[in-house]
Amino acid sequence: MSNMNMVEALNDALRLEMKRDKNIVLIGEDVGEEGGVFRVTDGLAKEFGNERVMDSPLAESGIVGTSIGMAVVGLKPICEIQFEGFIFPAIDQLVSHASRIRNRSRGRFSVPMVVRCPIGGGIKALEHHSDSPESYFVHTPGLKVVMPSGPYDAKGLLTSAIRDPDTVIFFEPKKIYRAIKEEVPSESYAIPLGKAHVIKEGKDVTLIAYGAWVKTAKEVVEQMKNVDIELIDLRTLSPLDTETIIDSVQKTGKCVIVQESPRTLGLASEIIARINEKAFYSLEAPIERVTGFDTIVPLRLHEEYYLPSVEKISNAIEKVMKNAKGLS
Amino acid sequence: MRKIIANFEVPYLQILNENGKFDEKDLPKISEENLKKMYEFMILTRVFDDKAWKLQRQGRLGTYAQMKGQEACQIGSAFALEKNDLIFPAFRENGIFMIKGVLPEMLFRYWAGDERGMQIPSKINIFPISITVGSHLPHAVGAAMAFKYLEQKNVSVVYFGDGATSEGDFHEAMNFAGVYKSPCIFICENNQWAISVPVKEQTASQTIAQKAIAYGFPGIQVDGNDLFSVYKATSEAVARARKGEGPTLIECFTYRIGDHTTSDDSKRYRSENEVREWEKKDPIIRFENYLLQKKIINPALIGKIKSESEAQIERAVSLAESAKPQSPTEMFNYLYQDLTSNLKEQMEQSKRENKVITKNVGASERAVENAGVVGELEEA
Ligand SMILES: Cc1ncc(C[n+]2csc(CCOP(=O)(O)OP(=O)(O)O)c2C)c(N)n1
Ligand SMILES: [Mg+2]
């Protein structure tokens, strides 16, 4: 056990997995000597050598495309895309190939690789450094998408992602890279993909969050003493754990979903659709969502106005509670 | 049968060398007045750059990408252009913006995180900053294709780094430019580093200039710390382009003296010795010595130019910082020409929320600092 932030926990997961399996290689911009711009791969080049930890040319399509090639012949590439805003040169490789090779070859080839990528706002950065494009990937059949909410989960989920037989896009919310410290076991452990985490049980309202906003949602749970909130951390965005969501909403009858990405066709849209299909008659009030706007994330001075917050989430919960009373 | 079917050469141009030596007949024809102007812009750019760095350290700007050491590449090339030529910068081109007439207060606003800093006045032909490396090269080629179609004599000029030459967009843009013989000038500021990756690990090519050969047009490497070389190569490329002879790639061989950005610590990956060696080749000092030798400037004038630049930059800072903040709902206004009904609704929601947020902005600034993320962000 030691007290770690998410950067350290991710680094730990990579180190342990690389020790376990010598076919794991890392590739990405500045991941070598520099240790990645966020230091997630710090020290790994030194420990495992430049053949296993490769500084790549500045080319995301190249990084992901060559990783696909490495994966199909038996390596386990873990590539790093420096920021979510720079994943788009690689989108052709992800959408046209990584996600489809198993299907195209009827199982003869598969692409067991991990694409690590920082995501989201909250660090007052330049354009393309604050976006939340997870929906593009969730929308792509054949890709798995994971987003941890803290150090403990980050280590366990990355370990599972590395051991997974398919392509996993592993988004790391940069707002909480160093904002949360937790006790993290020193040995290796895996948290299953595809399973949501009920962080706190409650009977009044289901609050669903993922990534950086789980921390904020916890603060809401702390502050709203008068409402018994059930807090769910999705952990994996694709495949989505419908069962845990439906079970919860059937119990509480109310739901609030938090997502940083633009509102239209964000995760909340899909979750609301599934609740509509499977738990409509349990609902006591319309579902509320706290989301980013359908705009470009503002630069540093106005970013705050775009992002979810304790106030925005609390207001949504109060609204759902009030509407439920109105209905009953 | 086996024979050589093609032969290529890669030219290199240096006019004023690092020891201040030059051959009079190689010098491009530039009036004394313009030489002085170029010098003034180099100084202004350096003062801006140093000031921006300090402001970032004081929390008054966000992440900033310094251009120290690359002044000759920017001033030398931009001076060879006409007003109507269209420039596509990357993110390190503050000198180019200023030469084109964008005021330093605008740039300070941008780097402070105010989008209005990139609202370039309509008479100034420069595109906003482009952060996704290499992605703006095809735009420059497209603009050049349009100039040709419209029978306008303008050229387009695109700036990018050595790292950008690895992106697919670089190659697609170069190929299009070659195929369509577009009046486009590609200016690569090869500053030897792409964050922590040295150019040797970026490409197996001996030069960046030679990449043009593969696309069927000329490439030249110039001493990027020599204003005259950059100016001359650009003037020749522009003349070629205007005559309809197509694109040129100019590799300006230079050095990034500063860290990659204010979030980077270049000591992690390069030796201070290397930096010191390049500091000796400072493009401003080299040009200054030339101007002194030719008696175009004198120490008193240098002092005056420096203090005027400092005063201008100080004024720019206070203008930038005293500007009325933009409304938080401005984020809704530039997605489309007309606000959609969906956005209108969200804008109204935002207005209701903003009352709460304005109260809390200070608190969240502190939260970000506590997260410690900002100091770790090693990026443009
Ligand atoms: C598509 C893309 N990938 C990665 C980045 C992150 N990044 C910003 S600048 C940079 C290095 C750029 O190097 P170079 O092109 O040589 O320009 P320089 O910074 O030296 O001016 C990187 C990797 C980015 N901005 N865009
Ligand atoms: Mg460079």
Side-chain angles (χ1 to χ4, degrees):
Chain A
M1 267 311 182
S2 60
N3 205 252
M4 285 185 192
N5 63 33
M6 202 167 87
V7 169
E8 292 160 341
L10 291 164
N11 183 272
D12 197 36
L14 291 171
R15 176 174 286 106
L16 291 173
E17 286 301 289
M18 288 180 81
K19 273 190 188 156
R20 180 186 62 78
D21 179 356
K22 66 174 187 351
N23 284 342
I24 294 175
V25 295
L26 306 192
I27 184 165
E29 293 155 15
D30 306 285
V31 299
E33 199 173 344
E34 169 88 340
V37 295
F38 287 104
R39 306 282 181 263
V40 173
T41 58
D42 197 19
L44 299 178
K46 205 164 182 192
E47 184 171 345
F48 298 102
N50 291 337
E51 273 173 18
R52 288 187 70 187
V53 183
M54 293 175 268
D55 266 339
S56 73
L58 208 175
E60 292 75 13
S61 181
I63 294 168
V64 174
T66 56
S67 292
I68 291 174
M70 290 189 255
V72 293
V73 297
L75 296 190
K76 167 63 83 171
I78 304 175
C79 40
E80 176 176 305
I81 299 296
Q82 204 160 73
F83 280 84
E84 76 287 343
F86 312 138
I87 202 168
F88 297 103
I91 203 149
D92 188 30
Q93 292 298 337
L94 289 167
V95 173
S96 307
H97 298 298
S99 60
R100 291 168 176 252
I101 283 173
R102 182 187 293 283
N103 183 68
R104 187 183 299 145
S105 68
R106 293 286 109 168
R108 163 73 167 82
F109 295 108
S110 61
V111 188
M113 68 170 183
V114 179
V115 180
R116 292 184 35 250
C117 183
I119 195 167
I123 60 162
K124 305 206 177 281
L126 293 167
E127 195 186 355
H128 309 292
H129 296 70
S130 307
D131 296 341
S132 296
E134 64 272 18
S135 285
Y136 296 113
F137 305 93
V138 172
H139 188 68
T140 302
L143 296 178
K144 291 182 179 171
V145 183
V146 176
M147 201 187 299
S149 62
Y152 177 86
D153 279 20
K155 179 170 172 183
L157 288 168
L158 183 56
T159 302
S160 291
I162 294 170
R163 296 175 187 176
D164 198 87
D166 288 300
T167 299
V168 180
I169 315 286
F170 193 89
F171 284 122
E172 301 166 3
K174 52 185 107 81
K175 183 175 154 71
I176 54 162
Y177 258 143
R178 288 165 194 276
I180 305 170
K181 283 204 148 203
E182 279 173 1
E183 287 301 315
V184 175
S186 16
E187 66 278 7
S188 188
Y189 60 96
I191 297 175
L193 303 191
K195 281 297 294 169
H197 178 208
V198 181
I199 292 180
K200 178 195 166 282
E201 292 193 16
K203 58 178 186 354
D204 289 340
V205 54
T206 302
L207 176 59
I208 300 175
Y210 60 95
W213 301 99
V214 172
K215 176 174 183 280
T216 316
K218 281 182 184 165
E219 286 166 37
V220 171
V221 171
E222 283 286 301
Q223 286 180 22
M224 297 188 81
K225 298 269 188 266
N226 55 336
V227 190
D228 190 12
I229 299 171
E230 176 142 311
L231 176 58
I232 297 178
D233 172 3
L234 291 176
R235 280 183 172 165
T236 300
L237 310 185
S238 176
L240 203 54
D241 181 1
T242 313
E243 200 184 329
T244 299
I245 296 168
I246 298 303
D247 284 351
S248 176
V249 173
Q250 279 173 343
K251 179 171 70 175
T252 62
K254 301 170 219 70
C255 185
V256 172
I257 305 158
V258 186
Q259 122 207 344
E260 177 180 337
S261 69
R263 178 167 311 171
T264 300
L265 287 180
L267 256 288
S269 310
E270 179 60 26
I271 293 169
I272 292 169
R274 292 193 194 190
I275 294 171
N276 184 56
E277 287 160 1
K278 298 208 158 84
F280 179 77
Y281 295 106
S282 306
L283 286 180
E284 296 164 23
I287 298 167
E288 280 292 315
R289 49 182 168 161
V290 178
T291 72
F293 296 112
D294 289 331
T295 66
I296 312 301
V297 183
L299 297 180
R300 179 170 166 269
L301 295 179
H302 279 165
E303 187 188 17
E304 206 57 42
Y305 294 99
Y306 175 93
L307 298 173
S309 64
V310 167
E311 289 78 12
K312 290 181 188 179
I313 300 170
S314 310
N315 288 345
I317 289 177
E318 270 165 22
K319 187 169 168 195
V320 169
M321 295 305 293
K322 211 172 93 208
N323 284 341
K325 277 209 192 84
L327 284 183
S328 62
Chain B
M1 185 185 61
R2 196 186 283 263
K3 60 179 182 178
I4 306 296
I5 56 163
N7 268 306
F8 302 107
E9 283 174 350
V10 183
Y12 174 80
L13 179 66
Q14 182 185 53
I15 296 171
L16 178 63
N17 77 13
E18 47 272 23
N19 304 317
K21 297 262 178 320
F22 58 93
D23 194 332
E24 201 72 46
K25 71 174 190 330
D26 295 335
L27 286 172
K29 294 199 179 14
I30 308 174
S31 70
E32 282 197 10
E33 192 195 332
N34 277 339
L35 286 172
K36 238 191 289 182
K37 231 190 237 163
M38 289 167 106
Y39 177 73
E40 283 167 8
F41 268 113
M42 285 176 107
I43 297 291
L44 185 69
T45 305
R46 180 68 63 90
V47 174
F48 176 92
D49 209 48
D50 286 340
K51 186 72 189 179
W53 182 268
K54 286 188 198 122
L55 292 176
Q56 193 281 338
R57 284 295 180 257
Q58 295 164 4
R60 290 155 76 187
L61 294 188
T63 307
Y64 174 72
Q66 273 200 304
M67 58 160 293
K68 192 183 229 151
Q70 300 178 212
E71 291 87 352
C73 309
Q74 299 194 9
I75 311 301
S77 58
F79 237 86
L81 307 177
E82 299 293 337
K83 188 170 173 297
N84 287 334
D85 294 334
L86 181 56
I87 293 183
F88 291 82
F91 49 84
R92 207 182 287 287
E93 275 69 50
N94 291 296
I96 312 264
F97 277 102
M98 287 192 281
I99 280 222
K100 272 292 206 181
V102 177
L103 296 171
E105 46 266 40
M106 293 275 287
L107 300 173
F108 280 132
R109 277 160 93 178
Y110 175 75
W111 292 106
D114 180 338
E115 286 83 354
R116 290 173 305 179
M118 275 298 133
Q119 199 170 37
I120 315 281
S122 61
K123 289 198 186 75
I124 300 179
N125 290 309
I126 186 164
F127 221 53
I129 274 175
S130 182
I131 288 175
T132 49
V133 168
S135 57
H136 58 310
L137 275 76
H139 311 160
V141 178
M145 289 162 71
F147 290 146
K148 196 167 163 181
Y149 177 89
L150 297 168
E151 295 177 359
Q152 294 176 356
K153 278 291 161 206
N154 311 327
V155 303
S156 72
V157 185
V158 59
Y159 290 86
F160 52 96
D162 40 293
T165 66
S166 294
E167 288 282 3
D169 276 345
F170 166 82
H171 297 275
E172 296 186 25
M174 294 275 286
N175 190 40
F176 272 55
V179 166
Y180 293 109
K181 242 183 172 189
S182 310
C184 182
I185 325 285
F186 296 88
I187 298 186
C188 178
E189 295 174 76
N190 175 3
N191 61 9
Q192 313 304 324
W193 292 92
I195 310 189
S196 73
V197 178
V199 73
K200 292 191 297 296
E201 291 170 32
Q202 194 66 246
T203 174
S205 302
Q206 193 183 335
T207 67
I208 283 170
Q210 75 199 55
K211 291 179 191 279
I213 294 167
Y215 299 104
F217 57 88
I220 179 172
Q221 188 187 72
V222 306
D223 180 343
N225 286 19
D226 168 21
L227 187 106
F228 290 121
S229 306
V230 178
Y231 177 84
K232 191 168 188 175
T234 312
S235 304
E236 288 169 0
V238 168
R240 258 177 54 78
R242 282 206 221 285
K243 270 191 284 178
E245 291 169 14
T248 307
L249 168 63
I250 302 171
E251 173 188 359
C252 300
F253 200 82
T254 185
Y255 195 77
R256 191 193 82 213
I257 294 291
D259 292 330
H260 171 64
T261 66
T262 45
S263 315
D264 177 39
D265 174 12
S266 60
K267 288 191 203 73
R268 275 178 79 94
Y269 52 79
R270 68 182 188 184
S271 79
E272 287 180 69
N273 241 0
E274 178 184 306
V275 182
R276 229 157 289 133
E277 282 309 306
W278 274 93
E279 271 169 351
K280 289 184 197 152
K281 302 184 202 172
D282 189 316
I284 300 187
I285 294 173
R286 197 187 304 183
F287 187 49
E288 187 176 279
N289 285 336
Y290 170 87
L291 296 175
L292 282 168
Q293 191 188 335
K294 291 272 173 164
K295 303 214 162 26
I296 295 168
I297 56 172
N298 55 51
L301 186 60
I302 293 177
K304 184 163 168 272
I305 290 171
K306 286 190 175 161
S307 61
E308 277 173 8
S309 295
E310 276 156 22
Q312 184 185 350
I313 293 302
E314 287 306 326
R315 255 194 329 274
V317 174
S318 55
L319 281 171
E321 293 189 337
S322 61
K324 189 167 166 279
Q326 57 177 343
S327 156
T329 53
E330 284 298 297
M331 75 168 112
F332 295 95
N333 285 336
Y334 297 95
L335 275 311
Y336 309 99
Q337 180 165 313
D338 301 313
L339 200 63
T340 62
S341 60
N342 172 51
L343 283 175
K344 216 175 275 173
E345 193 185 315
Q346 293 189 15
M347 191 173 178
E348 289 309 315
Q349 178 199 333
S350 165
K351 278 185 194 158
R352 288 192 300 275
E353 292 169 353
N354 291 350
K355 291 189 193 101
V356 187
I357 293 171
T358 317
K359 223 171 54 205
N360 285 314
V361 162
S364 78
E365 280 277 2
R366 283 195 298 282
V368 169
E369 275 160 31
N370 291 341
V373 176
V374 167
E376 296 299 323
L377 178 62
E378 307 280 334
E379 228 287 301

